[in-house]
Amino acid sequence: MKKITDMKSYLEVKNELSEIKKQNTNSKILIGYGTCGIAAGAGEIYEALEESIISGEILNCELVKVGCVGYCHAEPTIELQYPDGTSVLLGNLHPHTVPEVVAGYLSNFKKKGKHVLEKNVTCDVTKV
Amino acid sequence: MIEQVRIVLRNSGLINPEDIDDYISVRGYEALVKCLTESSPEDIIQTVKASGLRGRGGGGFPTGIKWEVTAASESDEKFVICNADEGDPGAFMDRAVLEGDPHSVMEAMTIAGYCIGSSKGIIYIRAEYPLAIERLNTAIAQSYEYGFLGENIFGTDFSFDIELKFGAGAFVCGEETSLIKSVEGKRGEPVVKPPYPAESGLWGKPTLVNNVETYANISPIILNGAQWFRSFGDEKSPGTKVFALAGKVNKVGLVEVPMGTTLRQVIFEVGGGIKNGKEFKAVQTGGPSGGCITSENLDTPITYDNLKAIDSMMGSGGMIVLDEDDCMVNVAKFYLEFSLDESCGKCTPCRIGNTRLWEMLDDITKGRADDNTMEKLEVLCNTIKKSALCGLGQASPNPVLSTMKYFRDEYLEHINDKKCRAGVCKALIDYAINPDKCIGCTLCARNCPVMCIHGEPKKTHVIDQDKCIKCGSCLSSCKFGAVYYS
Ligand SMILES: Cc1cc2nc3c(=O)[nH]c(=O)nc-3n(C[C@H](O)[C@H](O)[C@H](O)COP(=O)(O)O)c2cc1C
Ligand code: SF4
Ligand code: SF4
Ligand code: SF4
């Protein structure tokens, strides 16, 4: 791994990472994997989605374990990030139905339904 | 509709906390690079001061001033401590930050080390947070690989290491002097302040103690400037606050809102209102050191000073919503019981005073209190507040005082009429069956754990009051609304 020594080398590393991110045309499935999420069954959700990816039921997707977004009342939650940067946060998921739900939202971002909690969760700091 | 503003939780749930590259790609560690290679410690401290950031661990002390004082203390060695003890019942903000974005806290601690002239950071975290500990360990290891931690960071003469220290989960160990004793391997008992840790802390050296959430605000302030930070919140309490919303509210969870948001907005807009359409009664903020806020004050903008003015406090950000089914005397007793359990026992006012206070509350809930109880309660509360050694004892009567002030009628009802309107204080209620409504279905009799409901099928049932243990099971089992309590 490259050691960072000053702003220049930092920006090189950062830009390279951003570039890799940009080139990645996969959608991302972010699973809320904090203590709260795990207690609510995030582990089973992860396994169910992993199986669907291996079996090819869900295509062009990466699974990522992330922290908590604060929707404890709707755990387990996942956020789908589309390659164009838009996203949708889904909650109240069940391991049996989650592959189907995810597949549905992957093909149609605009879809509405009982699982949608929020769209395009953004972060003020990265916008700057 | 009030919008959440995510500064502290900016990355939580969006990046992989176990991959430093994810953090870097959202400008992670840029603030550290900027500080070490472009700014002097004085400049950074000025920025933090100008931002108006106040400690999120409960006290609300201005962070910039704390950094300045610690920087000014002369010593061959200093320490930076992150207080991740988080012992308030119902609070889990710090855990969410550490599990979701551990680097943001470590980056800020390193910046703090540079500012005050320390090369040693310690994160004091309770052992009950294994996942946070695991992710912190991963994050620390990755950070060394890039050179964000270690010897001569970015080729400067500044070096910094971070180490974890585990707490056994005692509430009092969140108090900074007690925390320091615990890190030293001694019993977690508070000592008198002053001297403050900024002058004499860990091993007698100047020590900076800040809360997890306080640190999580630092990098955005450095990157975007003090004015940007001040554009959120209130003049005297800038920025945002993360609250752990719990209790009888529809959307339990973490919310991050600008300071100055009203309680009504948090509970009814972000929190989606009260569960099951029940009536809002009060909201408890500040945990065992805070108080209950009634509907009268729901439109108070949340700031450190406003909450104090209505006899509560910000605390670390726990917010427990209570509805008509909650008995306020019992709520006060619950918090006092917590303080009593967690008292370290070092000083008499807290150890014995709180025990007596608890007994008086217990008397009230059991119908044994008399006309003098209210007055005695009040005197004892104020004595404990004035004479306890540390913040735990000094604040422990707060839930009692605030409920006595805002729900005095409920206390008097318990004492004089031996009644608990919420039906919580078991000793004060009697279950009975209304003969006009009972159809004799026998369900209640079959559900009664002590078999004290008698009656033949299809005939009115009767409760044997002498044997009834007031479990309430008959009330919830009757489908005809025949069981009632008084
Ligand atoms: C009984 C008691 C418990 C405390 N628990 C915590 C805690 O869990 N986390 C915390 O950050 N501060 C806690 N504090 C406050 C700390 O003593 C200290 O003020 C704080 O860590 C300073 O950080 P800040 O200025 O960033 O808020 C507690 C104080 C008392 C009196
Ligand atoms: S006030 Fe309570 S917790 Fe604090 S030192 Fe005294 S006995 Fe210990
Ligand atoms: S459950 Fe209700 S209706 Fe049935 S016997 Fe008991 S009191 Fe009567
Ligand atoms: S309250 Fe419980 S113990 Fe008493 S009569 Fe009803 S079911 Fe029996």
Side-chain angles (χ1 to χ4, degrees), chain A residues 2-6 9-10 13, chain B residues 24 33 146-148 153-155:
Chain A
K2 191 170 158 181
K3 279 251 181 200
I4 286 165
T5 53
D6 53 12
S9 60
Y10 170 81
V13 170
Chain B
I24 294 176
V33 180
Y146 266 117
F148 296 128
I153 300 173
F154 313 143

Side-chain angles (χ1 to χ4, degrees), chain A residues 1-21 28 30-38 63-75 78-79 81 87 89 117-128, chain B residues 4-7 9-18 20-31 33-34 37-38 92 95-96 99-101 131-132 135 142 144-149 153-155 219-220 223-224 228 232 250-255:
Chain A
M1 195 177 284
K2 191 170 158 181
K3 279 251 181 200
I4 286 165
T5 53
D6 53 12
M7 191 55 101
K8 190 165 155 272
S9 60
Y10 170 81
L11 288 175
E12 274 168 21
V13 170
K14 177 180 170 271
N15 292 337
E16 199 180 312
L17 290 170
S18 307
E19 198 50 41
I20 296 173
K21 252 191 177 179
K28 273 191 183 165
L30 310 178
I31 303 198
Y33 220 78
T35 300
C36 43
I38 295 171
L63 271 177
V64 190
K65 290 178 183 170
V66 299
C68 152
V69 268
Y71 282 92
C72 307
H73 62 95
E75 295 278 7
I78 58 172
E79 181 171 345
Q81 279 189 343
S87 72
L89 186 65
L117 300 170
E118 195 179 340
K119 288 201 169 158
N120 300 326
V121 181
T122 48
C123 136
D124 294 283
V125 182
T126 42
K127 265 194 285 185
V128 178
Chain B
Q4 292 201 54
V5 177
R6 292 185 174 106
I7 296 177
L9 298 176
R10 60 192 179 277
N11 298 324
S12 194
L14 292 174
I15 64 165
N16 180 349
E18 293 177 15
I20 191 171
D21 286 349
D22 246 25
Y23 183 62
I24 294 176
S25 70
V26 290
R27 299 183 76 185
Y29 287 108
E30 186 176 330
V33 180
K34 190 174 157 189
T37 59
E38 295 170 11
F92 50 96
R95 191 192 69 209
E99 284 179 0
D101 194 14
L131 186 63
R135 289 189 180 155
Q142 291 177 345
Y144 275 105
E145 283 176 30
Y146 266 117
F148 296 128
L149 285 175
I153 300 173
F154 313 143
S219 301
L223 289 177
N224 306 319
W228 166 85
F232 305 99
N250 277 319
K251 297 185 182 169
V252 170
L254 285 183
V255 297

Side-chain angles (χ1 to χ4, degrees), chain B residues 443-458:
Chain B
L443 190 60
C444 61
R446 279 182 279 137
N447 282 338
C448 174
V450 293
M451 295 186 289
C452 72
I453 304 180
H454 307 296
E456 292 188 8
K458 301 203 177 128

